[in-house]
């Protein structure tokens, strides 16, 4: 045995005598993960979070979360001599006077946008494939919690530099707090301490942003992943895949390789954006001043839907018994409250309505659950109208549409678009289902047109399996993709790979196909 | 088929390992101890094949890219002339600094990532493995014995029998809960009348952001100036910002009841803080007399006493009563007669 | 043909010729000096003459292009165009040099377009309007030599609410727009502040002093002339284009990467 192996053995021995973790480590290394690409969307969110922690820690070395007034004297001449908070001036310093500070700041901000976006895409994948069903409802709840925490964390971070744009956002946030019936003003003074803006809010948001919320997010992620390990990942139906097994690759080395590669690729994407695409140029916005505002003041994209709902809400204010309920209350507190509650409860609502109490580890194709898919499309349409309305002033200016017309387009679209989206999606799902059944019954189109003796022309169809006496296929639909073209049923060999010159031997491909045919004939289940 | 795989049994012993290679050991352990079975292994590139050598070169090129990019990053980080220089398109060093750093960093990370992915795809064997699920609920033995253990523990503590203990413990627990929350009471502040008042008061001059007081001859018809109360701290106050507007000839104000004569000549003054969400509403269109809020597009009509005419705002902008003092400067005749800014519960 | 041979000039003659050259130069210089002194008042008169030529040319242009809406003698036409008496050359410069005037039709807002008149013609119309009723005048000299930081503060207080933090413009009510300042030169910005064209409020010299106007112009032009230190500025429009980029480039690119990582090789 070589020297190195000896050292490795000794180290492992030293650790195991103290930890006794050898069995657990082997078990973890042997865990099987299914390999579908969409199962890695959540990982993008996870890696964004890690990148946020890394870059955020760097930024804390330079950021000063104080609202004390200073006169700026840094490198950015167009602001020199202007009074501003230390929070704002230290962010300017990160951008202009710290070597490489701007690129890290920009990576941090892009990572925040990606974090929430990846959570949303991951949520959509989970929703449309039915991955939230029993026994995974708890993990769905944790995921919704992560989404809400992501929004809070993002908004707190966006507010920290105390620039004109984020200050405007904070002012609106303060108005939203004030709008809560009965306790609104007390809530506002609890958070801000004094009349707006006061001198405390940035410090309080800072501790929430760097300790409180990330701590909660970290704990939720840990639980989220622990439940994935406990319940094992879901998988799409397919050859050899059942409700009782997981087919895929082992954690080490295969899944770890993919995951590690993906982490680097996600980080590379964010570094690229952080380098070449300018984000949140606070030096252009200027320091916050409650008397100033810029045209086209928007929040970051993930709060945009709430800005949109606020813009679209009609001017309804309730006055009764010398009290007032602000028109802000409904679109910014009630609406998101209802939406997040429905989102969190969806798995339970669906299980209740379908009376489904079974465990599910095999995923569904969206077309096979047209009602759920339709509801999802409806929600996306609703969300997109709100999101678009959050930037309707920019759309109006860019495409020369009246601002008032944009508001009405949003108001009407919000009521009309979701039902249309539901209906269209529902019909598409049924159409796709029918086509699958049709191919199973009649076979794949071959493109060969034949003339029958009595003169009729038909297209020859290739049956996918054995046929009955009428020539109809006897294969049942198995919840998985049905081949629609001949080359998908290995009727034709695949092309030899290579960009300029072939990099494969034709013989190797034949061997590969031989092996595949062999595999196809063998069931996955070693017991049966 | 039961939840538990019948073939799963710990019949692998240390003695069995003697004769095995590492690969055989791993397979035996995975199958017999972890219930993981490797179904097929396919080696995409045998070590000495042309394909394998080519793949290895590809992966190595990726890793090399990372090394080169990191070196470039360090050189740029240290040596690039990066100091900011505004107003000069021809001086481009500073605006290539951040992109250069970002691109080097991205290339370095991408090289490593792509290398690892290609390594996995082109050089490592492709396997298909299957692992068995064993149901989500614990098995019946565990469930029943655990429940019994917990029930027994409860009885052992004596809680079910001792009423006094139970009640006093409940009381103590509740009190502890309060103890955790009450110190946060330091955050609570009584709002009192803070939201109903602004620094404006009788005789306060209308001053510009730099403290210069405004006179009637300072503005043309169709002009707008943001003014603040000429009191200490007035220009910093977030709720005092006010729009002083001089109407165009022909523009008439239809005053709200109780606000007649709040203006002075063709001058009127309205709060700049939107009654919807508190943004500064200063997008004044002097011909149409409309004021637009850039945050949620509420529109107010100055000639209708700043009544909201479009968008989500529900209340007119509060009007500041103004006059001109003996020295010819604009002054407020009082504070606003109503709370400025967004609505809240206590507001009538 | 025999060529007459010129006698070689003697040394003395060469010297004399040089001396006369110097003398001639001296006389010429003196004559210019005297001439300038004598003729200078005359050139003022020449200027006035040019001025009146400008006014006459301007009147001619006015009567061809503007009179339909603004009426005879700048009096205005009811429901078509306002009176131009007292609007001053600044207003004419802004409206005509940005192509807003002559307007094509009546609408919510007259948009900038390719100017119909040359800079010289604009000045002629401006001169004509100026002599009939006076009004705001654009000062000569460098219009953006002010304090850039003070200009920024004034810009954010008075201008950014409509024109956006970086002068990219924005939407106003019912189809009106605050235009982008991307193509506005110093004189256009100065004259806009001074005259408050269309729905823009007027900022006269008491409200924003000429020095402060120069500071604002300096700020606007400095921003335009400054490269974005963080890479592509994404139009300097704030979070909306940033959101588009993260979805299209970020999420789109990474999903492509996932397909590549997940694809069987």
């Amino acid at each position: 045995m070589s020297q190195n192996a000896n050292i490795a053995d000794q180290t492992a021995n030293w650790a195991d005598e103290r930890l006794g973790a050898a069995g657990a480590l082997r078990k973890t290394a042997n865990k099987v993960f299914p390999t579908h690409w969409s199962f890695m969307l959540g990982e993008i969110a996870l890696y964004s979070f890690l990148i946020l922690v890394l870059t955020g820690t760097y930024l804390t070395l330079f950021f000063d979360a104080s609202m004390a007034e200073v006169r700026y004297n840094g490198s950015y001449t167009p602001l020199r001599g202007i009074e501003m908070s230390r929070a704002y001036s230290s962010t300017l310093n990160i951008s202009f006077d710290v070597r490489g500070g701007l690129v890290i700041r920009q990576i941090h901000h892009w990572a925040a946008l990606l974090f929430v976006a990846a959570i949303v895409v991951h949520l959509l994948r989970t929703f449309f494939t039915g991955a939230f069903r029993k026994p995974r409802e708890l993990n769905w709840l944790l995921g919704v919690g992560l989404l809400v925490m992501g929004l809070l964390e993002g908004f707190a971070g966006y507010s920290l530099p105390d620039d004109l744009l984020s200050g405007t956002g904070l002012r609106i946030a303060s108005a939203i707090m004030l709008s809560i019936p009965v306790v609104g003003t007390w809530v506002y003074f609890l958070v801000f301490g004094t009349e707006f803006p006061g001198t405390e809010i940035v410090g309080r948001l800072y501790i929430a942003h760097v300790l409180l919320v990330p701590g909660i997010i970290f704990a939720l992620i840990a639980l989220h992943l622990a439940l994935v390990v406990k319940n094992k990942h879901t998988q799409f139906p397919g050859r050899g895949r059942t409700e009782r097994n997981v087919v895929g690759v082992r954690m080490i080395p295969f899944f770890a390789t993919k995951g590690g590669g993906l982490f680097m690729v996600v980080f590379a994407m964010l570094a690229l954006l952080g380098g070449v695409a300018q984000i949140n140029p606070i030096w252009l916005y200027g320091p916050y001043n409650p008397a100033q505002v810029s045209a086209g003041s928007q929040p970051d994209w993930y709060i945009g839907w709430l800005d949109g709902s606020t813009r679209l809400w009609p001017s309804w204010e309730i006055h009764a018994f010398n009290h007032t309920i602000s028109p802000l209350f409904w679109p910014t507190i009630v609406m998101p409250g209802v939406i997040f509650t429905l989102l969190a409860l969806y798995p339970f609502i669906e299980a209740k309505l379908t009376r489904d109490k079974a465990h599910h580890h095999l995923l569904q194709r969206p077309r096979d659950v047209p009602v759920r898919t339709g509801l999802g499309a409806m929600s996306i349409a609703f969300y997109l109208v709100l999101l678009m309305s959050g930037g309707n002033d920019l759309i109006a200016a860019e495409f020369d549409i009246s601002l008032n017309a944009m508001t009405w387009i949003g108001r009407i679209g919000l009521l009309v678009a979701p039902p249309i989206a539901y209906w269209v999606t529902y019909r598409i799902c049924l159409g796709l289902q029918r086509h699958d059944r049709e191919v199973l019954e009649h076979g794949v189109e071959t493109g060969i047109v034949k003339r029958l003796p009595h003169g009729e022309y038909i297209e020859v169809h290739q049956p996918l399996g054995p046929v009955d006496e009428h020539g109809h296929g006897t294969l049942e639909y198995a919840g998985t993709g049905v081949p629609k073209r001949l080359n998908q049923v290995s009727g034709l060999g695949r092309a030899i790979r290579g960009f300029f010159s072939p990099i494969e031997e034709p013989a190797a491909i034949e061997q590969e196909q031989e092996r595949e045919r062999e595999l196809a004939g063998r069931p996955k289940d070693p017991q049966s | 088929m039961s939840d538990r795989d019948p073939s799963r049994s710990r019949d692998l012993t240390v003695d069995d390992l003697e004769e095995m290679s590492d690969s055989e050991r791993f397979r035996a352990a995975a199958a017999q101890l972890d219930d993981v079975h490797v179904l097929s292994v396919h080696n995409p590139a045998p070590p000495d094949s042309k394909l394998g050598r080519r793949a290895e070169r590809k992966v190595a090129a990726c890793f090399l890219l990372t090394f080169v990019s990191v070196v470039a990053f360090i050189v740029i980080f240290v040596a690039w002339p990066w100091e900011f220089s505004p107003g000069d398109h021809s001086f481009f060093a500073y605006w290539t600094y951040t992109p250069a750093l970002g691109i080097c960093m991205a290339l370095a990370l991408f090289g490593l990532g792509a290398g690892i992915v290609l390594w996995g795809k082109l050089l490592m064997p492709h396997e298909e493995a299957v692992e068995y699920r064993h149901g989500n609920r614990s098995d019946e033995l565990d469930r029943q014995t655990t429940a019994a253990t917990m029930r027994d523990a409860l009885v052992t503590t004596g809680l079910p029998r001792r009423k006094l203990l139970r009640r006093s413990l409940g009381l103590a627990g509740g009190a502890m809960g309060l103890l955790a929350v009450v110190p946060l009471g330091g955050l609570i502040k009584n709002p009192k009348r803070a939201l109903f008042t602004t620094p404006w008061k009788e005789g306060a001059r209308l001053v510009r952001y730099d403290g210069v007081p405004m006179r009637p001859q300072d503005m043309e018809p169709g002009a707008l100036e943001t003014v603040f109360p000429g009191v200490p701290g007035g220009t910093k106050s977030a709720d005092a910002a006010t729009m002083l507007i001089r109407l165009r000839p022909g523009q008439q104000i239809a005053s709200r009841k109780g606000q007649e004569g709040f203006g002075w000549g063709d001058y009127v003054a309205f709060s700049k803080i939107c009654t919807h969400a508190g943004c500064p509403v200063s997008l004044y269109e002097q011909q149409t007399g409309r004021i637009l809020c850039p945050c949620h597009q509420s529109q107010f009509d100055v000639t209708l006493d700043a009544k909201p005419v479009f968008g989500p705002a529900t209340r007119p902008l509060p009007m500041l009563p103004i006059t001109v003092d003996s020295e010819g400067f604009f002054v407020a005749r009082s504070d606003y007669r109503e709370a400025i800014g967004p609505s809240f519960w206590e507001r009538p | 043909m025999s060529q007459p041979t010129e006698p070689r000039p003697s040394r003395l003659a060469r010297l004399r010729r040089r001396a006369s050259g110097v003398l001639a130069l001296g006389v010429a210089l003196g004559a210019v000096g005297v001439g300038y002194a004598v003729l200078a008042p005359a050139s003022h008169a020449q200027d006035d003459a040019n001025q009146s030529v400008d006014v006459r040319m301007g009147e001619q242009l006015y009567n061809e292009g503007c009179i339909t809406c603004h009426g005879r003698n700048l009096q205005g036409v009811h429901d078509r165009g306002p009176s131009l008496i007292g609007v001053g050359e600044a207003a004419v410069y802004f409206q005509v040099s940005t192509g807003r005037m002559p307007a094509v039709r009546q609408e919510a807002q007259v948009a900038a377009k390719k100017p119909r008149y040359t800079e010289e013609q604009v000045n002629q119309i401006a001169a004509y309007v100026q002599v009939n009723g006076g009004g705001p005048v654009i000062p000569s000299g460098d219009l953006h030599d002010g304090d850039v930081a003070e200009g920024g503060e004034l810009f954010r207080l008075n201008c950014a609410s409509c024109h956006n933090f970086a002068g990219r413009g924005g939407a106003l009510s019912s189809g009106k727009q605050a235009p982008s300042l991307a193509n506005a030169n110093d004189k256009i910005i100065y004259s806009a502040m001074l005259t408050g064209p269309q729905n823009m409020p007027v900022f006269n010299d008491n409200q924003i002093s000429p020095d402060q106007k120069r500071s604002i112009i300096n700020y606007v032009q400095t921003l335009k002339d400054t490269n974005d230190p963080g890479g592509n500025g994404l139009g300097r429009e704030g979070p909306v284009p940033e959101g588009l980029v993260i979805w299209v480039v970020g999420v789109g690119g990474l999903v492509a990467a996932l397909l590549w990582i997940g694809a069987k090789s």
Side-chain angles (χ1 to χ4, degrees):
Chain A
M1 218 174 233
S2 76
Q3 181 93 27
N4 283 346
N6 258 331
I7 292 172
D9 279 355
Q10 281 168 14
T11 314
N13 183 46
W14 187 93
D16 193 58
E17 300 228 311
R18 285 153 184 84
L19 301 172
L25 182 62
R26 191 203 61 238
K27 253 188 154 48
T28 312
N30 279 339
K31 275 207 87 62
V32 171
F33 276 81
T35 54
H36 198 268
W37 65 269
S38 71
F39 298 165
M40 297 180 98
L41 290 168
E43 272 177 74
I44 297 181
L46 173 67
Y47 299 148
S48 304
F49 180 71
L50 294 182
I51 294 162
L52 282 167
V53 172
L54 284 175
T55 51
T57 307
Y58 171 92
L59 293 175
T60 61
L61 303 178
F62 304 100
F63 181 68
D64 181 357
S66 154
M67 291 173 91
E69 290 238 317
V70 290
R71 202 170 277 280
Y72 179 66
N73 195 26
S75 296
Y76 187 69
T77 38
L79 287 172
R80 223 178 254 172
I82 300 285
E83 288 213 341
M84 57 184 64
S85 65
R86 296 184 70 90
Y88 184 75
S89 79
S90 62
T91 313
L92 284 179
N93 285 345
I94 291 173
S95 308
F96 292 103
D97 295 289
V98 175
R99 237 175 229 279
L102 182 57
V103 74
I104 303 287
R105 216 194 109 222
Q106 297 200 132
I107 293 174
H108 189 73
H109 203 123
W110 283 117
L113 298 195
L114 182 64
F115 178 56
V116 190
I119 290 179
V120 169
V121 179
H122 175 55
L123 179 144
L124 291 177
R125 197 282 297 171
T126 307
F127 179 86
F128 282 116
T129 57
F132 54 80
R133 291 172 299 165
K134 189 178 171 186
R136 293 184 178 75
E137 304 98 320
L138 285 177
N139 230 9
W140 173 267
L141 288 178
L142 289 172
V144 173
L146 276 167
L147 175 59
V148 174
M149 284 296 141
L151 298 187
L152 285 179
E153 177 72 347
F155 185 76
Y158 163 89
S159 302
L160 287 184
D162 200 23
D163 56 281
L164 188 53
L165 189 65
S166 72
T168 304
L170 265 186
R171 176 119 214 186
I172 297 171
S174 80
I176 291 171
M177 289 174 204
L178 285 176
S179 77
I180 304 171
V182 187
V183 294
T185 43
W186 290 79
V187 169
Y188 166 79
F189 275 88
L190 186 86
V191 174
F192 280 80
T194 56
E195 274 190 84
F196 190 83
T199 53
E200 295 177 34
I201 187 65
V202 168
R204 288 180 179 177
L205 285 174
Y206 183 63
I207 204 64
H209 181 75
V210 302
L211 179 71
L212 208 56
V213 185
I216 295 173
I217 289 180
F218 187 80
L220 289 177
I221 288 179
L223 284 175
H224 200 69
L225 295 181
L227 276 183
V228 172
V229 171
K230 175 75 187 69
N231 286 331
K232 300 190 177 70
H233 208 286
T234 52
Q235 60 188 348
F236 279 106
R239 185 155 39 79
R241 297 175 187 170
T242 70
E243 290 281 9
R244 290 204 184 80
N245 68 8
V246 189
V247 177
V249 296
R250 284 174 299 128
M251 177 83 162
I252 291 176
F254 305 106
F255 189 74
T257 314
K258 284 187 182 194
L262 180 61
F263 174 74
M264 294 297 164
V265 171
V266 170
F267 207 161
M269 171 62 84
L270 290 172
L272 184 69
L273 284 173
V276 304
Q278 181 166 289
I279 188 165
N280 202 26
I282 54 144
W283 54 91
L284 294 176
Y285 301 152
Y288 181 57
N289 178 330
Q292 299 175 357
V293 73
S294 165
S297 285
Q298 268 95 14
D300 276 346
W301 79 264
Y302 45 84
I303 305 287
W305 64 296
L306 292 176
D307 205 34
S309 66
T310 311
R311 290 172 182 209
L312 297 187
W313 190 259
S315 54
W316 294 341
E317 186 168 87
I318 298 173
H319 300 269
F321 308 111
N322 250 354
H323 287 295
T324 303
I325 299 180
S326 159
L328 264 183
F329 178 60
W330 311 104
T332 60
I333 293 185
V334 175
M335 188 205 72
V338 169
I339 285 181
F340 280 120
T341 309
L342 282 177
L343 186 69
L345 294 182
Y346 183 81
F348 306 100
I349 296 171
E350 191 190 284
K352 186 101 190 158
L353 292 180
T354 57
R355 299 206 182 87
D356 181 1
K357 289 179 184 165
H359 281 74
H360 295 282
H361 301 294
L362 284 179
L363 296 173
Q364 291 165 306
R365 302 175 84 200
R367 68 184 64 176
D368 293 334
V369 205
V371 173
R372 183 203 294 147
T373 308
L375 287 175
M378 190 168 143
S379 313
I380 292 175
F382 184 80
Y383 183 87
L384 282 182
V385 172
L386 291 182
L387 188 60
M388 185 202 75
S389 298
N392 63 4
D393 48 342
L394 283 194
I395 297 174
E398 197 67 31
F399 299 104
D400 212 359
I401 304 168
S402 162
L403 192 58
N404 300 27
M406 281 305 298
T407 304
W408 277 108
I409 290 169
R411 284 174 176 172
I412 295 166
L414 197 60
L415 298 178
V416 172
I420 293 177
Y422 178 86
W423 185 80
V424 169
T425 310
Y426 189 86
R427 298 312 306 180
I428 290 176
C429 286
L430 291 193
L432 289 170
Q433 277 187 25
R434 258 180 224 143
H435 190 221
D436 284 347
R437 302 308 192 275
E438 191 185 305
V439 171
L440 285 171
E441 196 174 335
H442 298 292
V444 180
E445 293 172 355
T446 58
I448 301 167
V449 177
K450 203 164 99 178
R451 189 176 178 204
L452 297 181
H454 55 274
E456 184 191 351
Y457 285 94
I458 57 153
E459 183 179 2
V460 176
H461 283 66
Q462 167 67 48
L464 289 171
V467 293
D468 61 14
E469 65 271 24
H470 304 291
H472 291 161
T474 53
L475 284 177
E476 287 290 317
Y477 180 67
T480 181
V482 175
K484 303 274 170 78
R485 291 192 306 274
L486 267 186
N487 58 350
Q488 289 169 327
V489 289
S490 61
L492 309 161
R494 69 166 174 81
I496 295 175
R497 256 187 279 272
F499 195 77
F500 290 116
S501 59
I503 60 167
E504 288 175 314
E505 305 287 338
I509 295 174
E510 252 172 47
Q511 268 179 13
E512 180 193 310
Q513 292 193 327
E514 181 68 28
R515 205 181 48 252
E516 272 177 13
R517 272 192 289 278
E518 216 172 87
L519 264 177
R522 201 178 68 180
K524 278 284 144 74
D525 202 331
Q527 270 81 51
S528 52
Chain B
M1 187 170 162
S2 77
D3 277 353
R4 211 171 262 278
D5 180 359
S7 74
R8 184 174 179 236
S9 52
R10 282 181 163 268
D11 49 8
L12 186 71
T13 62
V14 176
D15 297 338
D16 298 340
L17 301 178
E18 278 300 313
E19 302 294 306
M20 294 180 176
S21 70
D22 270 352
S23 160
E24 287 164 340
R25 284 176 177 176
F26 133 66
R27 275 173 178 265
Q32 297 188 35
L33 303 180
D34 303 335
D35 214 2
V36 170
H37 305 267
V38 178
L39 298 176
S40 71
V41 179
H42 158 50
N43 218 343
D48 288 324
S49 65
K50 189 179 169 193
L51 210 60
R53 284 193 302 274
R54 188 190 282 263
E56 193 174 352
R57 279 201 300 276
K58 266 190 195 170
V59 175
C62 286
F63 292 159
L64 207 63
L65 172 70
T66 297
F67 178 78
V68 172
S69 306
V70 170
V71 171
F73 181 91
I74 294 170
V75 169
I76 292 168
F77 187 85
V78 174
W80 205 273
W82 61 289
E83 282 80 10
F84 182 69
S85 152
D88 184 3
H89 265 309
S90 58
F91 186 75
F92 62 88
Y94 74 86
W95 72 265
T96 47
Y97 182 64
T98 298
L101 286 183
I103 288 169
C104 287
M105 204 169 172
L107 284 177
L109 290 158
F110 182 76
L112 197 53
I116 293 173
V117 169
L118 286 176
W119 182 3
K121 284 164 77 101
L122 304 178
L123 289 169
M124 284 190 198
H126 299 172
E127 76 165 27
E128 198 164 32
V130 61
E131 180 179 10
Y132 283 86
R133 297 177 191 277
H134 300 292
N136 283 87
R137 44 185 285 169
S138 320
D139 70 23
E140 208 47 42
L141 188 67
D142 282 345
R143 283 162 65 97
Q144 291 192 14
T145 49
T146 306
T149 308
M150 290 301 143
R151 280 195 300 267
D152 179 65
L154 190 66
V155 171
T156 310
T157 60
L159 267 186
R161 281 178 293 117
R162 300 184 195 281
K163 212 183 208 172
L164 180 63
L165 183 66
R166 213 162 59 226
R167 291 189 173 169
S168 56
L169 181 64
L171 209 61
M176 279 309 287
L178 284 178
L179 192 61
V181 178
V182 166
L184 291 175
L187 285 171
I188 297 176
K189 287 256 175 73
N190 189 340
K192 296 194 183 136
R193 303 286 298 166
L195 295 172
F196 288 93
T197 58
T198 73
W200 287 106
K201 59 182 185 194
E202 188 180 354
R205 279 191 177 155
L206 278 60
V207 303
R208 305 191 324 170
Y209 81 106
D210 53 4
V212 176
M214 296 295 295
R215 295 165 305 171
Q217 61 267 39
D218 284 343
M219 288 163 68
E220 301 281 328
L224 159 81
E225 180 70 50
T226 303
V227 293
F228 303 86
V231 298
T235 56
K236 303 265 181 206
S237 165
D239 49 8
T242 298
M243 290 177 293
L244 181 63
I245 292 170
R246 184 167 180 192
L247 300 171
R248 288 159 60 87
Q251 281 180 333
Q252 289 291 325
I253 282 232
S255 283
R256 262 198 292 163
K257 206 164 154 263
Q259 290 198 163
E260 296 89 355
F262 271 25
W264 187 90
D266 51 0
Y267 280 90
V268 286
F270 292 102
S271 166
K272 195 176 182 178
I273 308 304
C274 185
T275 56
H276 176 235
C279 293
V281 279
S282 46
L283 284 71
Y284 177 54
E285 300 170 8
Q286 57 133 328
Q287 289 179 341
T288 61
R290 282 203 180 186
I291 304 171
L292 173 72
C293 177
C295 292
H296 304 108
Q297 283 85 47
S298 296
Q299 293 163 21
F300 303 88
D301 192 332
V302 164
T303 59
L304 298 175
D305 226 5
K307 198 176 103 173
V309 290
F310 189 83
T314 51
R315 293 165 177 270
L317 298 170
M319 195 173 187
L320 184 72
I322 53 170
T323 187
V324 171
D325 66 10
S326 54
E327 290 171 63
F329 293 108
F330 276 120
V331 291
R333 275 155 44 194
S334 73
D335 193 0
Y336 285 102
R337 302 285 168 86
E338 56 193 315
I340 61 103
S343 298
F344 49 93
W345 177 250
E346 289 84 355
R347 189 176 160 156
Chain C
M1 205 170 142
S2 70
Q3 200 156 11
T5 52
E6 202 171 327
R8 204 186 152 88
S10 70
R11 199 188 155 95
L12 186 70
R14 274 213 309 268
L15 198 69
R16 200 168 58 225
R17 212 163 60 201
R18 267 190 203 159
S20 70
V22 171
L23 191 70
L25 190 66
V27 169
L29 279 176
V32 168
V34 172
Y36 181 76
V38 173
L39 290 175
S43 78
H44 263 301
Q46 191 67 34
D47 268 2
D48 281 349
N50 281 345
Q51 190 94 36
S52 60
V53 168
D54 274 354
V55 170
R56 262 203 321 263
M57 292 297 292
E59 182 172 12
Q60 204 174 334
L61 288 166
Y62 178 89
N63 288 338
E64 283 162 11
C66 322
I67 199 164
T68 331
C69 297
H70 294 290
R72 199 168 289 282
N73 301 324
L74 317 178
Q75 279 164 341
V77 177
H78 184 65
D79 276 349
R80 267 202 223 148
S83 160
L84 299 185
I85 295 170
V87 300
E89 66 167 41
V92 176
Y93 181 83
F94 178 86
Q95 300 286 359
V96 184
S97 74
T98 61
R100 285 181 170 80
M101 290 292 149
V104 181
R105 58 181 169 275
Q106 301 263 1
E107 51 191 334
Q109 180 172 4
V110 183
K113 54 187 178 291
K114 198 172 174 300
R116 186 194 287 180
Y117 298 107
T118 63
E119 184 85 7
E120 192 188 358
Q121 288 172 318
V122 172
N123 289 335
Q124 288 166 347
I125 303 173
Y128 170 64
V129 172
Q130 187 68 34
V131 297
N132 291 290
V137 179
I138 307 172
S140 55
D142 189 352
L143 291 179
H144 71 261
D145 59 353
D147 175 355
V148 67
E150 188 199 12
E153 194 68 4
L154 284 161
F155 183 84
R156 287 187 291 275
L157 185 65
N158 294 303
C159 320
S161 55
C162 298
H163 292 285
N164 144 308
F165 55 86
R168 305 309 297 247
L172 295 173
S173 74
S174 308
K176 295 184 281 295
Q177 288 192 8
S180 162
L181 307 181
N183 298 319
N185 63 26
D186 297 353
K187 275 175 87 176
I188 288 174
I189 301 175
Y190 198 101
S191 56
M193 287 190 276
L194 202 55
T195 62
Q198 302 194 35
N199 270 305
M200 177 168 161
V202 188
F203 297 96
N204 69 9
D205 287 347
N206 287 338
Q207 242 182 302
I208 296 182
S209 71
D211 278 347
Q212 289 176 326
K213 286 195 173 80
R214 278 192 270 267
S215 300
I216 291 175
I217 293 171
N218 190 12
Y219 182 73
V220 173
Q221 307 295 25
T222 302
L223 284 197
K224 284 199 280 190
D225 289 344
T226 304
N227 293 311
D228 285 306
N232 186 301
L234 305 184
R236 297 184 178 173
E237 298 267 22
V240 171
E242 292 164 7
L244 271 179
V245 166
I246 198 64
W247 276 97
V248 175
V249 180
V251 175
L254 286 173
V255 164
L258 281 188
L259 288 169
W260 170 64
I261 292 174
K264 294 210 169 63
S265 61

